[in-house]
Amino acid sequence: MIETVLGYFEMGGYPIMTPIFLCSVFALAIILEKFLTLRTNHVIQPRMVDRIKKDLASGKIVDAIRICQTQNSPMSRIILAGLEATPSNARNRILDEGKLEAARLERYLTSLGTIANISPLLGLLGTVSGMIKVFFTINQQGLGQSQAMAGGISEALITTAFGLIVAIPALAAYNYFDAKVQHLVTHMEKNASDIAGML
């Protein structure tokens, strides 16, 4: 398996295949991180929100604060910011903390989108490089040297294929996580608005 991958690297050319490989590693790391951090039960924690609303309805603000302090989630930090503020400033503190948490949820998404955009361009660069080698071979040795031209053609095809192999799942993951973030932010805003109204 490793020998096959190294063979593709050699045929595609290390100057182009190396950045494409690095893009795949970074994309995989971001995708795994987003799968872990964008879980609804981790971000919103619906049961925690329900408990806090019940405590606030009963006037148990200290209990609500204690619940938030024992959790480590975006929603708990947003609510805690409002609970620790003065009643007149609670809504503004919740809104400010909400913006910070939304930015944290979007972290690395720009990088993932960039990888999805530049990977096929790197593949295209490899295609151009390979075709240049083909034309150079034709110019030097004529059309009859098919073996000599094969290296340039294989470089062109392999770099294009690997660029697309990295870009397609990266783009799909970017779109999925972007929609997921927007969904979570909408729910966070609704819960935050409910809490602010109760304060």
Side-chain angles (χ1 to χ4, degrees):
M1 179 68 180
I2 296 177
E3 292 179 359
T4 303
V5 172
L6 291 176
Y8 281 128
F9 259 71
E10 189 172 343
M11 287 188 290
Y14 287 99
I16 303 297
M17 292 296 288
T18 300
I20 291 176
F21 174 75
L22 291 175
C23 283
S24 71
V25 172
F26 288 132
L28 181 60
I30 293 170
I31 289 169
L32 291 176
E33 191 270 345
K34 287 299 161 194
F35 265 121
L36 293 174
T37 58
L38 294 182
R39 292 169 294 149
T40 301
N41 286 336
H42 170 73
V43 177
I44 305 294
Q45 292 187 303
R47 291 183 180 178
M48 178 204 70
V49 173
D50 289 340
R51 285 180 59 192
I52 289 173
K53 287 180 179 179
K54 289 177 182 177
D55 286 340
L56 291 178
S58 303
K60 301 176 182 177
I61 297 179
V62 175
D63 290 343
I65 291 174
R66 189 178 298 114
I67 292 170
C68 290
Q69 290 174 337
T70 58
Q71 304 298 317
N72 184 26
S73 68
M75 195 72 246
S76 65
R77 290 191 288 268
I78 291 171
I79 296 172
L80 184 62
L83 293 175
E84 291 181 337
T86 59
S88 61
N89 196 36
R91 182 175 291 275
N92 288 334
R93 289 289 295 117
I94 287 174
L95 290 174
D96 290 341
E97 188 65 27
K99 290 176 184 177
L100 290 175
E101 293 300 332
R104 289 191 184 108
L105 292 179
E106 293 173 348
R107 184 177 55 179
Y108 305 133
L109 278 184
T110 301
S111 299
L112 186 60
T114 301
I115 290 171
N117 285 322
I118 68 171
S119 295
L121 294 178
L122 288 170
L124 180 60
L125 179 60
T127 301
V128 173
S129 174
M131 295 312 295
I132 288 172
K133 289 179 181 178
V134 170
F135 286 118
F136 182 78
T137 301
I138 292 172
N139 186 50
Q140 294 293 316
Q141 303 179 26
L143 284 169
Q145 302 297 322
S146 59
Q147 180 119 11
M149 292 187 292
I153 294 171
S154 64
E155 178 180 334
L157 295 175
I158 288 171
T159 53
T160 300
F162 274 83
L164 292 173
I165 287 170
V166 174
I168 291 170
L171 181 59
Y174 170 81
N175 288 330
Y176 170 77
F177 289 127
D178 184 57
K180 180 78 170 177
V181 167
Q182 299 309 315
H183 175 75
L184 291 172
V185 168
T186 299
H187 280 273
M188 287 167 58
E189 288 175 347
K190 181 183 182 306
N191 286 321
S193 180
D194 291 343
I195 298 293
M198 297 178 77
L199 293 174

